[in-house]
mmCIF file of all heavy atoms in Angstrom:
data_model
loop_
_atom_site.group_PDB
_atom_site.id
_atom_site.type_symbol
_atom_site.label_atom_id
_atom_site.label_comp_id
_atom_site.label_asym_id
_atom_site.label_seq_id
_atom_site.Cartn_x
_atom_site.Cartn_y
_atom_site.Cartn_z
ATOM 1 N N MET H 1 0.848 -1.198 -0.001
ATOM 2 C CA MET H 1 -0.007 -0.003 -0.001
ATOM 3 C C MET H 1 0.879 1.245 -0.012
ATOM 4 O O MET H 1 1.791 1.398 0.799
ATOM 5 C CB MET H 1 -0.901 -0.024 1.247
ATOM 6 C CG MET H 1 -1.800 1.204 1.324
ATOM 7 S SD MET H 1 -2.922 1.126 2.721
ATOM 8 C CE MET H 1 -3.691 2.749 2.602
ATOM 9 N N ARG H 2 0.570 2.124 -0.904
ATOM 10 C CA ARG H 2 1.373 3.329 -0.990
ATOM 11 C C ARG H 2 0.997 4.347 0.106
ATOM 12 O O ARG H 2 -0.181 4.501 0.415
ATOM 13 C CB ARG H 2 1.167 3.992 -2.365
ATOM 14 C CG ARG H 2 1.812 3.187 -3.490
ATOM 15 C CD ARG H 2 1.435 3.786 -4.795
ATOM 16 N NE ARG H 2 0.005 3.715 -5.082
ATOM 17 C CZ ARG H 2 -0.564 4.147 -6.196
ATOM 18 N NH1 ARG H 2 0.175 4.697 -7.111
ATOM 19 N NH2 ARG H 2 -1.845 4.068 -6.387
ATOM 20 N N GLY H 3 1.991 5.014 0.653
ATOM 21 C CA GLY H 3 1.713 5.974 1.674
ATOM 22 C C GLY H 3 1.157 7.242 1.127
ATOM 23 O O GLY H 3 0.342 7.912 1.737
ATOM 24 N N PHE H 4 1.604 7.627 -0.054
ATOM 25 C CA PHE H 4 1.110 8.837 -0.687
ATOM 26 C C PHE H 4 1.340 8.772 -2.197
ATOM 27 O O PHE H 4 2.050 7.936 -2.669
ATOM 28 C CB PHE H 4 1.813 10.086 -0.117
ATOM 29 C CG PHE H 4 3.295 10.055 -0.327
ATOM 30 C CD1 PHE H 4 3.846 10.557 -1.486
ATOM 31 C CD2 PHE H 4 4.141 9.523 0.638
ATOM 32 C CE1 PHE H 4 5.221 10.521 -1.670
ATOM 33 C CE2 PHE H 4 5.506 9.485 0.457
ATOM 34 C CZ PHE H 4 6.066 9.979 -0.709
ATOM 35 N N VAL H 5 0.674 9.664 -2.878
ATOM 36 C CA VAL H 5 0.809 9.748 -4.332
ATOM 37 C C VAL H 5 1.351 11.112 -4.663
ATOM 38 O O VAL H 5 0.973 12.111 -4.036
ATOM 39 C CB VAL H 5 -0.551 9.543 -4.997
ATOM 40 C CG1 VAL H 5 -0.430 9.742 -6.529
ATOM 41 C CG2 VAL H 5 -1.089 8.151 -4.690
ATOM 42 N N THR H 6 2.256 11.150 -5.622
ATOM 43 C CA THR H 6 2.842 12.437 -5.981
ATOM 44 C C THR H 6 2.189 13.009 -7.228
ATOM 45 O O THR H 6 1.671 12.284 -8.078
ATOM 46 C CB THR H 6 4.356 12.307 -6.212
ATOM 47 O OG1 THR H 6 4.578 11.297 -7.183
ATOM 48 C CG2 THR H 6 5.074 11.943 -4.915
ATOM 49 N N CYS H 7 2.218 14.326 -7.354
ATOM 50 C CA CYS H 7 1.650 15.008 -8.490
ATOM 51 C C CYS H 7 2.480 14.730 -9.738
ATOM 52 O O CYS H 7 3.714 14.734 -9.694
ATOM 53 C CB CYS H 7 1.609 16.514 -8.180
ATOM 54 S SG CYS H 7 0.955 17.497 -9.578
ATOM 55 N N GLY H 8 1.798 14.513 -10.861
ATOM 56 C CA GLY H 8 2.504 14.281 -12.109
ATOM 57 C C GLY H 8 3.176 15.524 -12.671
ATOM 58 O O GLY H 8 4.024 15.453 -13.536
ATOM 59 N N CYS H 9 2.744 16.683 -12.165
ATOM 60 C CA CYS H 9 3.286 17.945 -12.679
ATOM 61 C C CYS H 9 4.489 18.436 -11.848
ATOM 62 O O CYS H 9 5.522 18.769 -12.374
ATOM 63 C CB CYS H 9 2.223 18.994 -12.661
ATOM 64 S SG CYS H 9 0.907 18.680 -13.897
ATOM 65 N N CYS H 10 4.291 18.482 -10.528
ATOM 66 C CA CYS H 10 5.337 19.080 -9.684
ATOM 67 C C CYS H 10 6.026 18.069 -8.770
ATOM 68 O O CYS H 10 6.964 18.405 -8.078
ATOM 69 C CB CYS H 10 4.720 20.215 -8.839
ATOM 70 S SG CYS H 10 3.464 19.659 -7.688
ATOM 71 N N ASP H 11 5.539 16.816 -8.788
ATOM 72 C CA ASP H 11 6.213 15.737 -8.085
ATOM 73 C C ASP H 11 6.216 15.907 -6.561
ATOM 74 O O ASP H 11 7.054 15.362 -5.879
ATOM 75 C CB ASP H 11 7.636 15.584 -8.593
ATOM 76 C CG ASP H 11 8.141 14.178 -8.341
ATOM 77 O OD1 ASP H 11 7.359 13.224 -8.430
ATOM 78 O OD2 ASP H 11 9.378 14.013 -8.056
ATOM 79 N N THR H 12 5.270 16.641 -6.033
ATOM 80 C CA THR H 12 5.109 16.731 -4.592
ATOM 81 C C THR H 12 3.930 15.872 -4.130
ATOM 82 O O THR H 12 3.051 15.602 -4.940
ATOM 83 C CB THR H 12 4.864 18.179 -4.132
ATOM 84 O OG1 THR H 12 3.676 18.673 -4.793
ATOM 85 C CG2 THR H 12 6.042 19.061 -4.516
ATOM 86 N N PRO H 13 3.941 15.433 -2.890
ATOM 87 C CA PRO H 13 2.844 14.581 -2.391
ATOM 88 C C PRO H 13 1.507 15.290 -2.514
ATOM 89 O O PRO H 13 1.350 16.442 -2.202
ATOM 90 C CB PRO H 13 3.210 14.332 -0.926
ATOM 91 C CG PRO H 13 4.682 14.517 -0.883
ATOM 92 C CD PRO H 13 4.986 15.599 -1.875
ATOM 93 N N LEU H 14 0.506 14.521 -2.977
ATOM 94 C CA LEU H 14 -0.836 15.066 -3.141
ATOM 95 C C LEU H 14 -1.651 14.837 -1.868
ATOM 96 O O LEU H 14 -1.462 13.883 -1.173
ATOM 97 C CB LEU H 14 -1.549 14.438 -4.309
ATOM 98 C CG LEU H 14 -0.926 14.709 -5.665
ATOM 99 C CD1 LEU H 14 -1.622 13.853 -6.722
ATOM 100 C CD2 LEU H 14 -1.015 16.154 -6.039
ATOM 101 N N ARG H 15 -2.598 15.733 -1.645
ATOM 102 C CA ARG H 15 -3.518 15.538 -0.540
ATOM 103 C C ARG H 15 -4.737 14.768 -1.027
ATOM 104 O O ARG H 15 -5.326 15.121 -2.051
ATOM 105 C CB ARG H 15 -3.960 16.921 -0.018
ATOM 106 C CG ARG H 15 -4.996 16.842 1.057
ATOM 107 C CD ARG H 15 -5.431 18.229 1.440
ATOM 108 N NE ARG H 15 -6.508 18.212 2.423
ATOM 109 C CZ ARG H 15 -7.157 19.309 2.840
ATOM 110 N NH1 ARG H 15 -6.831 20.471 2.364
ATOM 111 N NH2 ARG H 15 -8.105 19.218 3.718
ATOM 112 N N SER H 16 -5.075 13.721 -0.331
ATOM 113 C CA SER H 16 -6.237 12.936 -0.731
ATOM 114 C C SER H 16 -7.504 13.462 -0.054
ATOM 115 O O SER H 16 -7.500 13.845 1.096
ATOM 116 C CB SER H 16 -6.038 11.462 -0.347
ATOM 117 O OG SER H 16 -5.857 11.322 1.036
ATOM 118 N N CYS H 17 -8.585 13.490 -0.825
ATOM 119 C CA CYS H 17 -9.859 14.002 -0.343
ATOM 120 C C CYS H 17 -10.964 13.017 -0.698
ATOM 121 O O CYS H 17 -10.809 12.188 -1.577
ATOM 122 C CB CYS H 17 -10.162 15.350 -0.931
ATOM 123 S SG CYS H 17 -8.897 16.607 -0.654
ATOM 124 N N TYR H 18 -12.065 13.144 -0.026
ATOM 125 C CA TYR H 18 -13.242 12.330 -0.349
ATOM 126 C C TYR H 18 -14.410 13.214 -0.644
ATOM 127 O O TYR H 18 -14.612 14.245 -0.018
ATOM 128 C CB TYR H 18 -13.577 11.374 0.811
ATOM 129 C CG TYR H 18 -12.596 10.245 0.943
ATOM 130 C CD1 TYR H 18 -11.521 10.344 1.827
ATOM 131 C CD2 TYR H 18 -12.740 9.079 0.177
ATOM 132 C CE1 TYR H 18 -10.621 9.311 1.961
ATOM 133 C CE2 TYR H 18 -11.850 8.042 0.286
ATOM 134 C CZ TYR H 18 -10.796 8.157 1.203
ATOM 135 O OH TYR H 18 -9.905 7.145 1.320
ATOM 136 N N SER H 19 -15.221 12.807 -1.569
ATOM 137 C CA SER H 19 -16.445 13.524 -1.877
ATOM 138 C C SER H 19 -17.546 12.532 -2.211
ATOM 139 O O SER H 19 -17.278 11.374 -2.440
ATOM 140 C CB SER H 19 -16.198 14.474 -3.080
ATOM 141 O OG SER H 19 -17.336 15.279 -3.267
ATOM 142 N N THR H 20 -18.764 13.007 -2.209
ATOM 143 C CA THR H 20 -19.897 12.147 -2.527
ATOM 144 C C THR H 20 -20.582 12.636 -3.799
ATOM 145 O O THR H 20 -20.893 13.835 -3.921
ATOM 146 C CB THR H 20 -20.894 12.150 -1.367
ATOM 147 O OG1 THR H 20 -20.224 11.781 -0.178
ATOM 148 C CG2 THR H 20 -21.988 11.144 -1.618
ATOM 149 N N SER H 21 -20.796 11.738 -4.711
ATOM 150 C CA SER H 21 -21.444 12.124 -5.984
ATOM 151 C C SER H 21 -22.939 12.267 -5.775
ATOM 152 O O SER H 21 -23.501 11.943 -4.717
ATOM 153 C CB SER H 21 -21.132 11.072 -7.031
ATOM 154 O OG SER H 21 -21.796 9.858 -6.689
ATOM 155 N N ASN H 22 -23.621 12.728 -6.831
ATOM 156 C CA ASN H 22 -25.062 12.918 -6.759
ATOM 157 C C ASN H 22 -25.790 11.600 -6.486
ATOM 158 O O ASN H 22 -26.870 11.611 -5.875
ATOM 159 C CB ASN H 22 -25.586 13.516 -8.063
ATOM 160 C CG ASN H 22 -25.066 14.940 -8.254
ATOM 161 O OD1 ASN H 22 -24.756 15.609 -7.269
ATOM 162 N ND2 ASN H 22 -24.951 15.367 -9.478
ATOM 163 N N SER H 23 -25.232 10.530 -6.949
ATOM 164 C CA SER H 23 -25.892 9.217 -6.771
ATOM 165 C C SER H 23 -25.606 8.608 -5.399
ATOM 166 O O SER H 23 -26.023 7.506 -5.100
ATOM 167 C CB SER H 23 -25.446 8.260 -7.882
ATOM 168 O OG SER H 23 -24.078 8.095 -7.897
ATOM 169 N N GLY H 24 -24.849 9.308 -4.578
ATOM 170 C CA GLY H 24 -24.588 8.840 -3.217
ATOM 171 C C GLY H 24 -23.327 8.018 -3.097
ATOM 172 O O GLY H 24 -22.986 7.562 -2.031
ATOM 173 N N LYS H 25 -22.609 7.836 -4.215
ATOM 174 C CA LYS H 25 -21.366 7.070 -4.152
ATOM 175 C C LYS H 25 -20.256 7.960 -3.635
ATOM 176 O O LYS H 25 -20.101 9.117 -4.033
ATOM 177 C CB LYS H 25 -20.990 6.564 -5.542
ATOM 178 C CG LYS H 25 -21.557 5.200 -5.874
ATOM 179 C CD LYS H 25 -20.885 4.690 -7.141
ATOM 180 C CE LYS H 25 -21.130 3.193 -7.307
ATOM 181 N NZ LYS H 25 -20.438 2.673 -8.491
ATOM 182 N N ARG H 26 -19.442 7.390 -2.731
ATOM 183 C CA ARG H 26 -18.316 8.123 -2.255
ATOM 184 C C ARG H 26 -17.088 7.817 -3.079
ATOM 185 O O ARG H 26 -16.840 6.660 -3.419
ATOM 186 C CB ARG H 26 -18.036 7.749 -0.773
ATOM 187 C CG ARG H 26 -17.181 8.766 -0.068
ATOM 188 C CD ARG H 26 -17.094 8.474 1.404
ATOM 189 N NE ARG H 26 -16.157 7.378 1.648
ATOM 190 C CZ ARG H 26 -15.323 7.359 2.701
ATOM 191 N NH1 ARG H 26 -15.306 8.327 3.554
ATOM 192 N NH2 ARG H 26 -14.522 6.345 2.904
ATOM 193 N N TYR H 27 -16.384 8.843 -3.449
ATOM 194 C CA TYR H 27 -15.181 8.629 -4.234
ATOM 195 C C TYR H 27 -14.058 9.468 -3.734
ATOM 196 O O TYR H 27 -14.268 10.483 -3.065
ATOM 197 C CB TYR H 27 -15.468 8.902 -5.731
ATOM 198 C CG TYR H 27 -15.852 10.303 -6.033
ATOM 199 C CD1 TYR H 27 -14.887 11.261 -6.402
ATOM 200 C CD2 TYR H 27 -17.179 10.746 -5.934
ATOM 201 C CE1 TYR H 27 -15.233 12.566 -6.694
ATOM 202 C CE2 TYR H 27 -17.543 12.051 -6.227
ATOM 203 C CZ TYR H 27 -16.573 12.955 -6.587
ATOM 204 O OH TYR H 27 -16.918 14.247 -6.853
ATOM 205 N N ALA H 28 -12.854 9.046 -4.062
ATOM 206 C CA ALA H 28 -11.666 9.750 -3.582
ATOM 207 C C ALA H 28 -11.023 10.490 -4.741
ATOM 208 O O ALA H 28 -11.146 10.132 -5.888
ATOM 209 C CB ALA H 28 -10.671 8.768 -2.982
ATOM 210 N N TYR H 29 -10.340 11.564 -4.389
ATOM 211 C CA TYR H 29 -9.578 12.292 -5.397
ATOM 212 C C TYR H 29 -8.386 12.965 -4.728
ATOM 213 O O TYR H 29 -8.364 13.074 -3.497
ATOM 214 C CB TYR H 29 -10.451 13.310 -6.126
ATOM 215 C CG TYR H 29 -11.052 14.387 -5.259
ATOM 216 C CD1 TYR H 29 -10.436 15.626 -5.135
ATOM 217 C CD2 TYR H 29 -12.204 14.157 -4.557
ATOM 218 C CE1 TYR H 29 -10.973 16.601 -4.331
ATOM 219 C CE2 TYR H 29 -12.757 15.125 -3.726
ATOM 220 C CZ TYR H 29 -12.128 16.364 -3.639
ATOM 221 O OH TYR H 29 -12.662 17.328 -2.835
ATOM 222 N N TYR H 30 -7.500 13.422 -5.527
ATOM 223 C CA TYR H 30 -6.310 14.075 -4.991
ATOM 224 C C TYR H 30 -6.288 15.530 -5.343
ATOM 225 O O TYR H 30 -6.789 15.943 -6.385
ATOM 226 C CB TYR H 30 -5.031 13.419 -5.583
ATOM 227 C CG TYR H 30 -4.803 12.009 -5.138
ATOM 228 C CD1 TYR H 30 -4.761 10.974 -6.043
ATOM 229 C CD2 TYR H 30 -4.607 11.739 -3.778
ATOM 230 C CE1 TYR H 30 -4.522 9.672 -5.631
ATOM 231 C CE2 TYR H 30 -4.370 10.435 -3.373
ATOM 232 C CZ TYR H 30 -4.339 9.404 -4.288
ATOM 233 O OH TYR H 30 -4.111 8.132 -3.894
ATOM 234 N N LEU H 31 -5.664 16.327 -4.472
ATOM 235 C CA LEU H 31 -5.508 17.735 -4.742
ATOM 236 C C LEU H 31 -4.028 18.091 -4.650
ATOM 237 O O LEU H 31 -3.343 17.731 -3.682
ATOM 238 C CB LEU H 31 -6.268 18.540 -3.715
ATOM 239 C CG LEU H 31 -7.767 18.713 -3.920
ATOM 240 C CD1 LEU H 31 -8.335 19.556 -2.767
ATOM 241 C CD2 LEU H 31 -8.084 19.387 -5.244
ATOM 242 N N CYS H 32 -3.545 18.832 -5.640
ATOM 243 C CA CYS H 32 -2.187 19.364 -5.562
ATOM 244 C C CYS H 32 -2.239 20.728 -4.821
ATOM 245 O O CYS H 32 -3.080 21.551 -5.105
ATOM 246 C CB CYS H 32 -1.601 19.537 -6.954
ATOM 247 S SG CYS H 32 0.065 20.227 -6.930
ATOM 248 N N GLN H 33 -1.336 20.898 -3.920
ATOM 249 C CA GLN H 33 -1.367 22.120 -3.117
ATOM 250 C C GLN H 33 -0.196 23.042 -3.432
ATOM 251 O O GLN H 33 0.102 23.978 -2.701
ATOM 252 C CB GLN H 33 -1.340 21.754 -1.633
ATOM 253 C CG GLN H 33 -2.576 20.939 -1.230
ATOM 254 C CD GLN H 33 -2.560 20.642 0.254
ATOM 255 O OE1 GLN H 33 -3.357 21.191 0.998
ATOM 256 N NE2 GLN H 33 -1.692 19.774 0.682
ATOM 257 N N THR H 34 0.449 22.794 -4.542
ATOM 258 C CA THR H 34 1.534 23.666 -4.998
ATOM 259 C C THR H 34 0.980 24.749 -5.895
ATOM 260 O O THR H 34 0.484 24.502 -6.979
ATOM 261 C CB THR H 34 2.598 22.857 -5.777
ATOM 262 O OG1 THR H 34 3.034 21.780 -4.928
ATOM 263 C CG2 THR H 34 3.767 23.733 -6.137
ATOM 264 N N LYS H 35 1.066 25.992 -5.423
ATOM 265 C CA LYS H 35 0.420 27.107 -6.146
ATOM 266 C C LYS H 35 1.005 27.339 -7.528
ATOM 267 O O LYS H 35 0.329 27.785 -8.438
ATOM 268 C CB LYS H 35 0.524 28.376 -5.310
ATOM 269 C CG LYS H 35 -0.355 28.357 -4.098
ATOM 270 C CD LYS H 35 -0.305 29.661 -3.343
ATOM 271 C CE LYS H 35 -1.221 29.652 -2.119
ATOM 272 N NZ LYS H 35 -1.170 30.884 -1.351
ATOM 273 N N ASP H 36 2.262 26.999 -7.707
ATOM 274 C CA ASP H 36 2.869 27.211 -9.008
ATOM 275 C C ASP H 36 2.612 26.089 -10.001
ATOM 276 O O ASP H 36 2.995 26.166 -11.156
ATOM 277 C CB ASP H 36 4.390 27.360 -8.816
ATOM 278 C CG ASP H 36 4.766 28.688 -8.158
ATOM 279 O OD1 ASP H 36 3.941 29.613 -8.196
ATOM 280 O OD2 ASP H 36 5.834 28.778 -7.578
ATOM 281 N N CYS H 37 1.951 25.033 -9.530
ATOM 282 C CA CYS H 37 1.740 23.879 -10.365
ATOM 283 C C CYS H 37 0.519 24.068 -11.262
ATOM 284 O O CYS H 37 -0.440 24.724 -10.901
ATOM 285 C CB CYS H 37 1.516 22.652 -9.479
ATOM 286 S SG CYS H 37 1.215 21.163 -10.418
ATOM 287 N N ASP H 38 0.575 23.486 -12.458
ATOM 288 C CA ASP H 38 -0.559 23.566 -13.396
ATOM 289 C C ASP H 38 -1.800 22.877 -12.830
ATOM 290 O O ASP H 38 -2.910 23.218 -13.179
ATOM 291 C CB ASP H 38 -0.198 22.936 -14.722
ATOM 292 C CG ASP H 38 0.758 23.830 -15.506
ATOM 293 O OD1 ASP H 38 0.868 25.009 -15.179
ATOM 294 O OD2 ASP H 38 1.405 23.299 -16.445
ATOM 295 N N ALA H 39 -1.561 21.896 -11.975
ATOM 296 C CA ALA H 39 -2.683 21.104 -11.414
ATOM 297 C C ALA H 39 -3.173 21.656 -10.087
ATOM 298 O O ALA H 39 -3.953 21.021 -9.418
ATOM 299 C CB ALA H 39 -2.249 19.644 -11.290
ATOM 300 N N TYR H 40 -2.664 22.819 -9.700
ATOM 301 C CA TYR H 40 -3.054 23.370 -8.413
ATOM 302 C C TYR H 40 -4.563 23.555 -8.266
ATOM 303 O O TYR H 40 -5.216 24.106 -9.172
ATOM 304 C CB TYR H 40 -2.375 24.715 -8.168
ATOM 305 C CG TYR H 40 -2.817 25.433 -6.925
ATOM 306 C CD1 TYR H 40 -2.513 24.897 -5.673
ATOM 307 C CD2 TYR H 40 -3.523 26.609 -6.980
ATOM 308 C CE1 TYR H 40 -2.914 25.521 -4.524
ATOM 309 C CE2 TYR H 40 -3.933 27.277 -5.849
ATOM 310 C CZ TYR H 40 -3.596 26.735 -4.626
ATOM 311 O OH TYR H 40 -4.020 27.372 -3.474
ATOM 312 N N ALA H 41 -5.115 23.067 -7.153
ATOM 313 C CA ALA H 41 -6.538 23.206 -6.829
ATOM 314 C C ALA H 41 -7.463 22.493 -7.804
ATOM 315 O O ALA H 41 -8.670 22.626 -7.726
ATOM 316 C CB ALA H 41 -6.930 24.695 -6.756
ATOM 317 N N SER H 42 -6.915 21.692 -8.692
ATOM 318 C CA SER H 42 -7.754 20.875 -9.532
ATOM 319 C C SER H 42 -7.763 19.444 -9.000
ATOM 320 O O SER H 42 -6.745 18.960 -8.521
ATOM 321 C CB SER H 42 -7.261 20.891 -10.977
ATOM 322 O OG SER H 42 -5.998 20.338 -11.093
ATOM 323 N N SER H 43 -8.894 18.800 -9.097
ATOM 324 C CA SER H 43 -9.003 17.448 -8.538
ATOM 325 C C SER H 43 -8.503 16.429 -9.533
ATOM 326 O O SER H 43 -8.818 16.486 -10.725
ATOM 327 C CB SER H 43 -10.460 17.154 -8.182
ATOM 328 O OG SER H 43 -11.288 17.226 -9.304
ATOM 329 N N LEU H 44 -7.731 15.461 -9.041
ATOM 330 C CA LEU H 44 -7.213 14.409 -9.861
ATOM 331 C C LEU H 44 -7.874 13.118 -9.424
ATOM 332 O O LEU H 44 -7.623 12.642 -8.334
ATOM 333 C CB LEU H 44 -5.674 14.313 -9.678
ATOM 334 C CG LEU H 44 -4.935 15.622 -9.893
ATOM 335 C CD1 LEU H 44 -3.462 15.422 -9.527
ATOM 336 C CD2 LEU H 44 -5.060 16.114 -11.320
ATOM 337 N N PRO H 45 -8.761 12.565 -10.212
ATOM 338 C CA PRO H 45 -9.531 11.388 -9.848
ATOM 339 C C PRO H 45 -8.620 10.190 -9.575
ATOM 340 O O PRO H 45 -7.599 10.000 -10.239
ATOM 341 C CB PRO H 45 -10.424 11.108 -11.059
ATOM 342 C CG PRO H 45 -10.432 12.355 -11.835
ATOM 343 C CD PRO H 45 -9.124 13.030 -11.570
ATOM 344 N N ILE H 46 -9.001 9.396 -8.602
ATOM 345 C CA ILE H 46 -8.296 8.157 -8.297
ATOM 346 C C ILE H 46 -9.002 7.032 -9.058
ATOM 347 O O ILE H 46 -10.167 6.755 -8.826
ATOM 348 C CB ILE H 46 -8.294 7.851 -6.805
ATOM 349 C CG1 ILE H 46 -7.593 8.980 -6.070
ATOM 350 C CG2 ILE H 46 -7.613 6.539 -6.532
ATOM 351 C CD1 ILE H 46 -7.690 8.877 -4.575
ATOM 352 N N SER H 47 -8.309 6.415 -9.968
ATOM 353 C CA SER H 47 -8.951 5.443 -10.847
ATOM 354 C C SER H 47 -9.123 4.090 -10.161
ATOM 355 O O SER H 47 -10.067 3.372 -10.438
ATOM 356 C CB SER H 47 -8.129 5.269 -12.124
ATOM 357 O OG SER H 47 -6.815 4.887 -11.796
ATOM 358 N N ALA H 48 -8.232 3.754 -9.264
ATOM 359 C CA ALA H 48 -8.295 2.447 -8.606
ATOM 360 C C ALA H 48 -9.511 2.368 -7.687
ATOM 361 O O ALA H 48 -9.740 3.248 -6.853
ATOM 362 C CB ALA H 48 -7.024 2.196 -7.822
ATOM 363 N N GLU H 49 -10.287 1.297 -7.821
ATOM 364 C CA GLU H 49 -11.448 1.121 -6.947
ATOM 365 C C GLU H 49 -11.138 0.057 -5.909
ATOM 366 O O GLU H 49 -10.327 -0.815 -6.128
ATOM 367 C CB GLU H 49 -12.637 0.663 -7.789
ATOM 368 C CG GLU H 49 -12.961 1.660 -8.884
ATOM 369 C CD GLU H 49 -14.425 1.599 -9.245
ATOM 370 O OE1 GLU H 49 -15.131 0.729 -8.728
ATOM 371 O OE2 GLU H 49 -14.848 2.429 -10.057
ATOM 372 N N GLN H 50 -11.792 0.211 -4.770
ATOM 373 C CA GLN H 50 -11.495 -0.729 -3.680
ATOM 374 C C GLN H 50 -12.564 -1.783 -3.577
ATOM 375 O O GLN H 50 -13.722 -1.505 -3.742
ATOM 376 C CB GLN H 50 -11.425 0.007 -2.363
ATOM 377 C CG GLN H 50 -10.273 1.000 -2.395
ATOM 378 C CD GLN H 50 -10.121 1.733 -1.065
ATOM 379 O OE1 GLN H 50 -10.890 1.515 -0.133
ATOM 380 N NE2 GLN H 50 -9.123 2.580 -0.958
HETATM 381 ZN ZN1 ZN J 101 1.298 19.579 -8.769
#
């Protein structure tokens, strides 16, 4: 099990978040917190399902 996932743009550890879709399904996504990164504040979906 990986401890963390790094951003594909800036290579820093991403923050994992959880949200609930309209259908009630809970899903996880990652957020990059590097302000200079192209992916900053955009959610990166986690494709792997549990
Ligand atoms: Zn980034």
Side-chain angles (χ1 to χ4, degrees):
M1 179 176 175
R2 289 174 296 181
F4 60 87
V5 176
T6 54
C7 178
C9 291
C10 63
D11 204 35
T12 59
L14 295 173
R15 176 185 176 186
S16 60
C17 303
Y18 287 94
S19 186
T20 306
S21 67
N22 293 335
S23 58
K25 269 191 166 184
R26 198 172 77 140
Y27 62 94
Y29 61 97
Y30 292 120
L31 281 178
C32 178
Q33 299 184 107
T34 304
K35 289 184 179 178
D36 290 338
C37 179
D38 286 343
Y40 174 67
S42 64
S43 60
L44 308 174
I46 300 173
S47 57
E49 302 207 355
Q50 298 183 358

